[in-house]
Amino acid sequence: NLLNTYTLYIYIYLSVLSWFNNMKLSFFNIVASVYLSVVCGEVLRDSTLGLDEMIWGNEQHHDYVGSPSLVQHPTTKIFIASTEHFDTGPPPECMPGTEPIPPKYNHKAVQTEPLDEFNYPKSSAIHNTSVFHSTGNGTWNLVGNITGGHFLTLFFGMDEQLYAMGTGFGGVFVAKSLDLGVTWNTSVVINATSNSSWSGGCTPVLFHNGFVYRALESDKAGKFPFPQNKRAALLYARDSSDLLDPSSWTSTNWVDFDRTFIRPEWVKYNWTSPGFLEGNPVVAPDGTVMDILRVNSLPMANVGLLLKLNQTSNTLSFDEMITFPGGMSKFDVRYDSNSKKYFSVSNPVVHAYCPSARNNLSLVSSQDLKTWTVEKTLITDDTGFSELDSMRYTGFHYVSWQFDVEDRSNIHCLIRTAYRGSNSYHNSNRITYKKFSI
């Protein structure tokens, strides 16, 4: 409408003014983003779940939205979020059949042939990540774009500027913004090689003992069933260094998944295409930097894996395979110094005939990164689908979440959402937001 159009003009003018002011964040830019967030945005009305919609993808045109990332500015309290578009994805692995499988839930599944989950058409277009602002009232405003980045994680550096890090052009991609995401400078800090390229998920970065860490994976050249092409690594840089400078960054060794990692009591279930991906760097109770990863454990579910970093030799190695509720899908792990617990928002699988289900969202916690407990269910499907169809067509997943900067008993969640119109749980047609108490 006319008000929103005028507001957009005002915002662009003030953003340009901020850019000329030595590219530093100005009071005008903050005021403009707050004002525009108030007058724009959308509440998801055809739902009982209390979700606020940030963006919708057109299912008919195979325009899906994913890779959400969320940060909150420590002083202005403004939320900054990002998402990207994708064009299709794999079908759900729902396999009616019965055979009880441990470890934590009474899983049931059947044996299947190895699945190449990524044997489907892919877009060759350069990725474009969209950036949004919100005041936390559930409404969102598009403010900028990052060209070339993929699976980007937003974070604030030690210089208090906004960064995004993930993959791009086959390599490791870093972007920096001096105006809260309106404009960006970008750099490929580690290039792809002839026999590998980089991939990952929008998982948190870790600041620890003067370094910043990011977990990514390398995709080996050749034909491999997903995710057997993945090799895990941690990238790190001095937190005071120029994060756009390739010389600032170092990669650990790559770790390949090995079937000997599988617990002996689980070997008999003949995992069809075992592998790991989308790791989280986190500090263990003893001070060791760990990488906790999602595990593709079909026909089982709810499995995670820990790699540990030797900070003397900067080498990464296998530590332990664990029970992790929701380990079949991407998750973020964060530590709460108040409760001395690690938390995650994940998709515990409760019906083993569909081990890839993502239609239940839960808060899970651990005191040691190795034993995890489901604290409570946050979201369940309200569409009226049958149990099987809900697992096929509904997903509340790939959640990027943050503790509230003022009250750590509250968390803010940005959710990749396949819901009410999606053609599969994977092909998410919405990015939604919701605040929860823990």
Side-chain angles (χ1 to χ4, degrees):
N1 59 34
L2 191 59
L3 175 60
N4 287 352
T5 301
Y6 286 148
T7 305
L8 181 59
Y9 290 156
I10 293 170
Y11 183 77
I12 293 171
Y13 168 75
L14 293 174
S15 297
V16 171
L17 185 63
S18 173
W19 184 85
F20 278 110
N21 184 24
N22 295 319
M23 288 295 290
K24 294 180 180 178
L25 179 65
S26 70
F27 169 78
F28 297 108
N29 197 289
I30 295 172
V31 171
S33 65
V34 170
Y35 177 57
L36 193 56
S37 292
V38 169
V39 299
C40 299
E42 181 66 31
V43 176
L44 193 59
R45 295 181 176 87
D46 60 337
S47 171
T48 65
L49 301 180
L51 299 171
D52 298 308
E53 184 175 275
M54 187 178 83
I55 189 172
W56 167 75
N58 191 320
E59 309 92 344
Q60 186 177 4
H61 295 154
H62 306 285
D63 177 22
Y64 311 117
V65 283
S67 300
S69 184
L70 179 70
V71 291
Q72 187 179 15
H73 193 276
T75 55
T76 68
K77 312 301 185 296
I78 291 173
F79 289 92
I80 307 163
S82 63
T83 184
E84 64 180 85
H85 294 258
F86 64 97
D87 55 7
T88 190
E93 297 86 7
C94 292
M95 305 169 292
T98 56
E99 180 181 341
I101 292 182
K104 189 169 183 180
Y105 307 97
N106 184 26
H107 296 298
K108 298 179 180 180
V110 297
Q111 307 302 316
T112 63
E113 293 300 314
L115 299 172
D116 183 352
E117 200 169 305
F118 283 98
N119 184 22
Y120 56 84
K122 301 181 182 70
S123 171
S124 60
I126 294 176
H127 288 279
N128 194 58
T129 296
S130 301
V131 182
F132 296 78
H133 282 183
S134 174
T135 59
N137 62 353
T139 58
W140 296 90
N141 155 56
L142 176 65
V143 298
N145 290 286
I146 310 172
T147 301
H150 190 31
F151 297 134
L152 297 181
T153 295
L154 299 175
F155 65 97
F156 286 100
M158 297 300 289
D159 57 2
E160 300 182 349
Q161 302 299 336
L162 180 65
Y163 289 84
M165 184 174 182
T167 64
F169 305 100
V172 178
F173 180 96
V174 179
K176 180 179 181 178
S177 175
L178 301 179
D179 52 15
L180 290 187
V182 178
T183 59
W184 295 84
N185 294 320
T186 64
S187 175
V188 176
V189 296
I190 300 179
N191 289 309
T193 66
S194 59
N195 60 0
S196 68
S197 61
W198 289 87
S199 64
C202 302
T203 51
V205 299
L206 169 69
F207 287 87
H208 179 63
N209 284 350
F211 288 89
V212 55
Y213 295 89
R214 173 76 157 97
L216 288 171
E217 292 80 50
S218 169
D219 289 351
K220 296 180 288 188
K223 241 182 148 175
F224 298 90
F226 172 83
Q228 293 180 22
N229 60 323
K230 305 289 184 183
R231 301 182 292 181
L234 286 177
L235 287 82
Y236 57 93
R238 288 282 181 185
D239 59 19
S240 59
S241 65
D242 178 1
L243 300 185
L244 293 182
D245 184 350
S247 67
S248 298
W249 290 94
T250 302
S251 173
T252 66
N253 58 301
W254 289 332
V255 178
D256 288 271
F257 187 92
D258 193 296
R259 282 186 177 267
T260 60
F261 296 166
I262 303 172
R263 286 186 180 181
E265 64 268 30
W266 298 345
V267 170
K268 62 184 178 182
Y269 299 112
N270 298 320
W271 292 10
T272 55
S273 184
F276 49 41
L277 65 159
E278 298 173 335
N280 290 253
V282 65
V283 179
D286 66 359
T288 303
V289 173
M290 311 291 286
D291 185 7
I292 180 169
L293 296 108
R294 162 189 174 186
V295 175
N296 190 68
S297 54
L298 291 171
M300 290 177 61
N302 302 313
V303 174
L305 185 140
L306 290 165
L307 302 176
K308 61 183 176 182
L309 177 66
N310 183 317
Q311 290 169 268
T312 302
S313 62
N314 288 321
T315 55
L316 199 61
S317 61
F318 172 71
D319 182 63
E320 187 175 342
M321 190 164 281
I322 60 173
T323 297
F324 186 93
M328 269 289 289
S329 183
K330 177 258 180 189
F331 52 86
D332 288 3
V333 173
R334 298 187 181 277
Y335 181 69
D336 175 34
S337 57
N338 293 340
S339 63
K340 294 182 170 52
K341 286 183 178 181
Y342 302 88
F343 286 94
S344 186
V345 179
S346 67
N347 301 113
V349 173
V350 296
H351 299 290
Y353 67 86
C354 197
S356 61
R358 302 175 183 177
N359 61 332
N360 290 293
L361 190 65
S362 295
L363 179 73
V364 302
S365 71
S366 174
Q367 293 183 323
D368 60 4
L369 289 176
K370 297 186 177 183
T371 302
W372 288 84
T373 300
V374 176
E375 295 270 350
K376 60 181 175 180
T377 299
L378 300 176
I379 299 178
T380 57
D381 191 8
D382 69 345
T383 57
F385 279 141
S386 68
E387 183 180 273
L388 180 58
D389 281 346
S390 176
M391 290 185 283
R392 284 172 168 163
Y393 298 114
T394 300
F396 308 105
H397 48 139
Y398 273 60
V399 178
S400 178
W401 65 275
Q402 296 279 352
F403 292 105
D404 187 86
V405 296
E406 294 182 328
D407 181 1
R408 292 179 72 87
S409 67
N410 292 318
I411 61 172
H412 301 271
C413 295
L414 196 66
I415 308 165
R416 173 179 156 186
T417 306
Y419 180 60
R420 295 188 180 271
S422 57
N423 54 33
S424 84
Y425 79 98
H426 181 278
N427 295 342
S428 40
N429 58 336
R430 310 169 192 265
I431 298 294
T432 60
Y433 161 87
K434 189 169 183 179
K435 177 181 174 182
F436 298 96
S437 63
I438 62 172

